[in-house]
Amino acid sequence: MSGSKDMKLFIVLAACLYSADAAIKCVQGTNGTAAATACATASETKCSGPKFVEYTGLSTGVNYACGACAGETAGVTCQECTGTDSTTGCNKAVETGADFKCYNWSYNSTSKAFQMSNTTTTCKRLKATALVCNMPNGTATTANYKRTSGCGNCTAADTHCEACTKDSCNKSSALRLAVVFVPLLALLVHLF
């Protein structure tokens, strides 16, 4: 009986030692869909990769790798995760939804109004993220509408922005002009 207990103890001890020395697996290189491979350093505990920014896409210049993000890039252009021995890797590429397009808006100091760009911007999103474009509403000024991209939703506090949920939906429209001219028309009617 003693030999059987010793053998079981030896097997458990060997398994523990093996798992303590087993390297984690991370996706490595530029292809985020590749299978995770073992890290060269057994003491490595983290995997890293490019950060996905909603409506902008993956950060450029960051590879999928074993180890923490380089320098001050963590949370800015790079994201980290705790590695495992899984073949998928905790740093695998995120699942994205279909790209869509929105118009950008900028303030024209000559005409004293916001103007829509002639071209659209491609917006990137995660699979579960809704398609949303934004634009300045009729009360927007340079002080209260500071968005540089038409991609994405308005914030709850942004009352000078309006959102829409279709591809390229944030175009200039007659409705937008009506919002500006209805109060003016009401004033003229009241005066005469």
Side-chain angles (χ1 to χ4, degrees):
M1 280 290 234
S2 176
S4 174
K5 282 185 180 180
D6 288 340
M7 183 58 106
K8 287 179 184 175
L9 181 61
F10 177 74
I11 291 171
V12 169
L13 183 60
C16 288
L17 287 174
Y18 172 75
S19 64
D21 282 344
I24 62 168
K25 293 180 181 177
C26 301
V27 174
Q28 299 176 51
T30 57
N31 181 0
T33 60
T37 54
C39 296
T41 308
S43 62
E44 206 61 75
T45 60
K46 291 185 177 183
C47 300
S48 60
K51 180 179 179 179
F52 187 89
V53 179
E54 280 291 6
Y55 304 112
T56 302
L58 280 177
S59 297
T60 58
V62 178
N63 286 340
Y64 295 89
C66 293
C69 293
E72 304 288 321
T73 61
V76 180
T77 58
C78 179
Q79 59 189 22
E80 300 174 348
C81 57
T82 302
T84 66
D85 63 355
S86 167
T87 57
T88 56
C90 67
N91 65 334
K92 68 181 179 182
V94 294
E95 200 170 346
T96 58
D99 292 351
F100 62 99
K101 295 188 181 291
C102 295
Y103 290 94
N104 290 337
W105 289 79
S106 60
Y107 189 77
N108 182 318
S109 57
T110 304
S111 67
K112 306 281 189 225
F114 282 94
Q115 290 184 328
M116 182 185 79
S117 170
N118 292 332
T119 58
T120 57
T121 297
T122 300
C123 310
K124 308 280 185 179
R125 64 188 173 117
L126 294 173
K127 185 177 182 182
T129 302
L131 181 154
V132 181
C133 296
N134 72 75
M135 65 181 177
N137 67 17
T139 61
T141 66
T142 56
N144 58 33
Y145 183 83
K146 299 197 181 279
R147 295 183 165 270
T148 57
S149 170
C151 301
N153 209 347
C154 303
T155 64
D158 192 357
T159 58
H160 305 285
C161 175
E162 59 186 73
C164 56
T165 57
K166 293 182 181 171
D167 191 281
S168 304
C169 62
N170 62 339
K171 296 179 186 177
S172 182
S173 66
L175 176 62
R176 186 167 167 75
L177 290 174
V179 168
V180 173
F181 289 110
V182 165
L184 182 60
L185 185 61
L187 179 64
L188 290 173
V189 168
H190 182 66
L191 290 174
F192 297 104

mmCIF file with all atom_site columns, all heavy atoms in Angstrom, residues 29-41:
data_model
loop_
_atom_site.group_PDB
_atom_site.id
_atom_site.type_symbol
_atom_site.label_atom_id
_atom_site.label_alt_id
_atom_site.label_comp_id
_atom_site.label_asym_id
_atom_site.label_entity_id
_atom_site.label_seq_id
_atom_site.pdbx_PDB_ins_code
_atom_site.Cartn_x
_atom_site.Cartn_y
_atom_site.Cartn_z
_atom_site.occupancy
_atom_site.B_iso_or_equiv
_atom_site.pdbx_formal_charge
_atom_site.auth_seq_id
_atom_site.auth_comp_id
_atom_site.auth_asym_id
_atom_site.auth_atom_id
_atom_site.pdbx_PDB_model_num
ATOM 1  N N   . GLY A 1 29 ? 2.617  37.721 -33.663 1.00 0.00 ? 29 GLY A N   1
ATOM 2  C CA  . GLY A 1 29 ? 2.818  38.236 -35.016 1.00 0.00 ? 29 GLY A CA  1
ATOM 3  C C   . GLY A 1 29 ? 1.775  39.262 -35.392 1.00 0.00 ? 29 GLY A C   1
ATOM 4  O O   . GLY A 1 29 ? 1.208  39.948 -34.552 1.00 0.00 ? 29 GLY A O   1
ATOM 5  N N   . THR A 1 30 ? 1.483  39.357 -36.683 1.00 0.00 ? 30 THR A N   1
ATOM 6  C CA  . THR A 1 30 ? 0.550  40.370 -37.183 1.00 0.00 ? 30 THR A CA  1
ATOM 7  C C   . THR A 1 30 ? -0.849 39.828 -37.446 1.00 0.00 ? 30 THR A C   1
ATOM 8  O O   . THR A 1 30 ? -1.785 40.597 -37.613 1.00 0.00 ? 30 THR A O   1
ATOM 9  C CB  . THR A 1 30 ? 1.081  40.984 -38.496 1.00 0.00 ? 30 THR A CB  1
ATOM 10 O OG1 . THR A 1 30 ? 1.278  39.939 -39.449 1.00 0.00 ? 30 THR A OG1 1
ATOM 11 C CG2 . THR A 1 30 ? 2.396  41.717 -38.276 1.00 0.00 ? 30 THR A CG2 1
ATOM 12 N N   . ASN A 1 31 ? -1.023 38.504 -37.458 1.00 0.00 ? 31 ASN A N   1
ATOM 13 C CA  . ASN A 1 31 ? -2.304 37.884 -37.763 1.00 0.00 ? 31 ASN A CA  1
ATOM 14 C C   . ASN A 1 31 ? -3.025 37.506 -36.472 1.00 0.00 ? 31 ASN A C   1
ATOM 15 O O   . ASN A 1 31 ? -2.693 36.513 -35.838 1.00 0.00 ? 31 ASN A O   1
ATOM 16 C CB  . ASN A 1 31 ? -2.090 36.643 -38.645 1.00 0.00 ? 31 ASN A CB  1
ATOM 17 C CG  . ASN A 1 31 ? -3.395 35.974 -39.022 1.00 0.00 ? 31 ASN A CG  1
ATOM 18 O OD1 . ASN A 1 31 ? -4.478 36.407 -38.642 1.00 0.00 ? 31 ASN A OD1 1
ATOM 19 N ND2 . ASN A 1 31 ? -3.291 34.895 -39.771 1.00 0.00 ? 31 ASN A ND2 1
ATOM 20 N N   . GLY A 1 32 ? -4.020 38.273 -36.096 1.00 0.00 ? 32 GLY A N   1
ATOM 21 C CA  . GLY A 1 32 ? -4.764 38.033 -34.866 1.00 0.00 ? 32 GLY A CA  1
ATOM 22 C C   . GLY A 1 32 ? -5.650 36.808 -34.897 1.00 0.00 ? 32 GLY A C   1
ATOM 23 O O   . GLY A 1 32 ? -6.189 36.399 -33.873 1.00 0.00 ? 32 GLY A O   1
ATOM 24 N N   . THR A 1 33 ? -5.831 36.195 -36.074 1.00 0.00 ? 33 THR A N   1
ATOM 25 C CA  . THR A 1 33 ? -6.666 34.997 -36.160 1.00 0.00 ? 33 THR A CA  1
ATOM 26 C C   . THR A 1 33 ? -5.837 33.722 -36.139 1.00 0.00 ? 33 THR A C   1
ATOM 27 O O   . THR A 1 33 ? -6.387 32.626 -36.190 1.00 0.00 ? 33 THR A O   1
ATOM 28 C CB  . THR A 1 33 ? -7.527 35.032 -37.439 1.00 0.00 ? 33 THR A CB  1
ATOM 29 O OG1 . THR A 1 33 ? -6.668 35.088 -38.575 1.00 0.00 ? 33 THR A OG1 1
ATOM 30 C CG2 . THR A 1 33 ? -8.461 36.236 -37.440 1.00 0.00 ? 33 THR A CG2 1
ATOM 31 N N   . ALA A 1 34 ? -4.507 33.838 -36.062 1.00 0.00 ? 34 ALA A N   1
ATOM 32 C CA  . ALA A 1 34 ? -3.634 32.658 -36.023 1.00 0.00 ? 34 ALA A CA  1
ATOM 33 C C   . ALA A 1 34 ? -3.814 31.923 -34.705 1.00 0.00 ? 34 ALA A C   1
ATOM 34 O O   . ALA A 1 34 ? -4.238 32.499 -33.700 1.00 0.00 ? 34 ALA A O   1
ATOM 35 C CB  . ALA A 1 34 ? -2.173 33.081 -36.194 1.00 0.00 ? 34 ALA A CB  1
ATOM 36 N N   . ALA A 1 35 ? -3.482 30.636 -34.698 1.00 0.00 ? 35 ALA A N   1
ATOM 37 C CA  . ALA A 1 35 ? -3.545 29.850 -33.464 1.00 0.00 ? 35 ALA A CA  1
ATOM 38 C C   . ALA A 1 35 ? -2.480 30.352 -32.494 1.00 0.00 ? 35 ALA A C   1
ATOM 39 O O   . ALA A 1 35 ? -1.402 30.781 -32.892 1.00 0.00 ? 35 ALA A O   1
ATOM 40 C CB  . ALA A 1 35 ? -3.314 28.376 -33.771 1.00 0.00 ? 35 ALA A CB  1
ATOM 41 N N   . ALA A 1 36 ? -2.806 30.320 -31.218 1.00 0.00 ? 36 ALA A N   1
ATOM 42 C CA  . ALA A 1 36 ? -1.839 30.729 -30.197 1.00 0.00 ? 36 ALA A CA  1
ATOM 43 C C   . ALA A 1 36 ? -0.734 29.685 -30.104 1.00 0.00 ? 36 ALA A C   1
ATOM 44 O O   . ALA A 1 36 ? -0.979 28.487 -30.239 1.00 0.00 ? 36 ALA A O   1
ATOM 45 C CB  . ALA A 1 36 ? -2.532 30.876 -28.858 1.00 0.00 ? 36 ALA A CB  1
ATOM 46 N N   . THR A 1 37 ? 0.482  30.143 -29.887 1.00 0.00 ? 37 THR A N   1
ATOM 47 C CA  . THR A 1 37 ? 1.623  29.245 -29.716 1.00 0.00 ? 37 THR A CA  1
ATOM 48 C C   . THR A 1 37 ? 2.294  29.555 -28.387 1.00 0.00 ? 37 THR A C   1
ATOM 49 O O   . THR A 1 37 ? 2.142  30.641 -27.830 1.00 0.00 ? 37 THR A O   1
ATOM 50 C CB  . THR A 1 37 ? 2.639  29.409 -30.867 1.00 0.00 ? 37 THR A CB  1
ATOM 51 O OG1 . THR A 1 37 ? 3.010  30.788 -30.969 1.00 0.00 ? 37 THR A OG1 1
ATOM 52 C CG2 . THR A 1 37 ? 2.033  28.963 -32.194 1.00 0.00 ? 37 THR A CG2 1
ATOM 53 N N   . ALA A 1 38 ? 3.048  28.577 -27.889 1.00 0.00 ? 38 ALA A N   1
ATOM 54 C CA  . ALA A 1 38 ? 3.699  28.714 -26.591 1.00 0.00 ? 38 ALA A CA  1
ATOM 55 C C   . ALA A 1 38 ? 4.710  29.857 -26.613 1.00 0.00 ? 38 ALA A C   1
ATOM 56 O O   . ALA A 1 38 ? 5.438  30.051 -27.588 1.00 0.00 ? 38 ALA A O   1
ATOM 57 C CB  . ALA A 1 38 ? 4.400  27.414 -26.219 1.00 0.00 ? 38 ALA A CB  1
ATOM 58 N N   . CYS A 1 39 ? 4.746  30.596 -25.529 1.00 0.00 ? 39 CYS A N   1
ATOM 59 C CA  . CYS A 1 39 ? 5.714  31.688 -25.395 1.00 0.00 ? 39 CYS A CA  1
ATOM 60 C C   . CYS A 1 39 ? 7.089  31.094 -25.125 1.00 0.00 ? 39 CYS A C   1
ATOM 61 O O   . CYS A 1 39 ? 7.222  30.052 -24.494 1.00 0.00 ? 39 CYS A O   1
ATOM 62 C CB  . CYS A 1 39 ? 5.305  32.616 -24.254 1.00 0.00 ? 39 CYS A CB  1
ATOM 63 S SG  . CYS A 1 39 ? 3.739  33.464 -24.558 1.00 0.00 ? 39 CYS A SG  1
ATOM 64 N N   . ALA A 1 40 ? 8.111  31.764 -25.585 1.00 0.00 ? 40 ALA A N   1
ATOM 65 C CA  . ALA A 1 40 ? 9.486  31.296 -25.421 1.00 0.00 ? 40 ALA A CA  1
ATOM 66 C C   . ALA A 1 40 ? 9.919  31.309 -23.962 1.00 0.00 ? 40 ALA A C   1
ATOM 67 O O   . ALA A 1 40 ? 10.727 30.486 -23.544 1.00 0.00 ? 40 ALA A O   1
ATOM 68 C CB  . ALA A 1 40 ? 10.432 32.148 -26.256 1.00 0.00 ? 40 ALA A CB  1
ATOM 69 N N   . THR A 1 41 ? 9.383  32.219 -23.171 1.00 0.00 ? 41 THR A N   1
ATOM 70 C CA  . THR A 1 41 ? 9.746  32.332 -21.766 1.00 0.00 ? 41 THR A CA  1
ATOM 71 C C   . THR A 1 41 ? 8.641  31.750 -20.901 1.00 0.00 ? 41 THR A C   1
ATOM 72 O O   . THR A 1 41 ? 7.507  32.233 -20.928 1.00 0.00 ? 41 THR A O   1
ATOM 73 C CB  . THR A 1 41 ? 9.964  33.825 -21.396 1.00 0.00 ? 41 THR A CB  1
ATOM 74 O OG1 . THR A 1 41 ? 10.877 34.397 -22.313 1.00 0.00 ? 41 THR A OG1 1
ATOM 75 C CG2 . THR A 1 41 ? 10.485 33.971 -19.989 1.00 0.00 ? 41 THR A CG2 1
#
